[in-house]
C-alpha cells in the first residue's frame, strides 16, 4: 500500500515536470517585459505569486526578482549559507510550478 502511494506521488511529480517546461530562472528575471514594469505593479505581481509560499521562499523570490540579489548576496543579507538560499529557491520553484499547473496559468 505504501509502495503504491509513493508510486502515485512520483507519477504526479513527473506529470507536473512534463507539463511545465522549466526555463532558466535567470532568463525570467531578465525578461524585458517584466523589467519594464512599474515597480509598484511588479511588487503586486510578486505578492500575488508569493501568497502560498513560506517566508523563506518569499525572501528568495523578492530578493531575486525585485531586488536583483544573487544567491551569495541573499545568504549574506540573512546570515545563512549559500546552500540554504538554494534550498529556498528549489522549494519556491517547486511550489510555484505546482501552483501554475493547478491554475493553468
Amino acid at each position: 500500500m505504501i509502495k503504491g502511494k509513493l508510486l502515485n506521488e512520483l507519477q504526479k511529480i513527473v506529470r507536473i515536470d512534463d507539463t511545465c517546461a522549466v526555463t532558466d530562472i535567470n532568463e525570467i528575471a531578465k525578461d524585458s517585459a517584466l523589467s519594464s514594469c512599474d515597480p509598484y505593479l511588479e511588487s503586486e505581481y510578486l505578492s500575488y505569486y508569493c501568497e502560498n509560499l513560506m517566508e523563506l521562499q518569499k525572501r528568495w523570490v523578492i530578493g531575486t526578482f525585485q531586488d536583483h540579489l544573487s544567491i551569495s548576496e541573499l545568504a549574506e543579507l540573512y546570515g545563512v549559507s549559500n546552500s540554504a538560499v538554494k534550498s529556498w529557491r528549489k522549494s519556491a520553484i517547486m511550489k510555484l510550478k505546482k501552483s501554475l499547473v493547478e491554475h493553468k496559468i
Side-chain angles (χ1 to χ4, degrees), residues 48-95:
Y48 172 76
Y49 285 111
C50 290
E51 286 178 351
N52 297 324
L53 298 180
M54 293 173 23
E55 187 60 35
L56 298 175
Q57 296 163 343
K58 287 179 188 179
R59 286 180 183 178
W60 175 79
V61 171
I62 300 297
T64 300
F65 294 105
Q66 186 173 356
D67 302 332
H68 306 288
L69 298 174
S70 68
I71 289 174
S72 56
E73 291 170 329
L74 284 168
E76 186 177 327
L77 178 67
Y78 293 109
V80 296
S81 66
N82 286 357
S83 60
V85 177
K86 289 177 184 179
S87 174
W88 302 349
R89 176 184 64 188
K90 181 179 178 180
S91 58
I93 290 172
M94 289 190 66
K95 272 191 179 179

Side-chain angles (χ1 to χ4, degrees), residues 37-44 66:
C37 274
D38 174 24
Y40 177 76
L41 188 57
E42 181 180 307
S43 176
E44 289 297 312
Q66 186 173 356

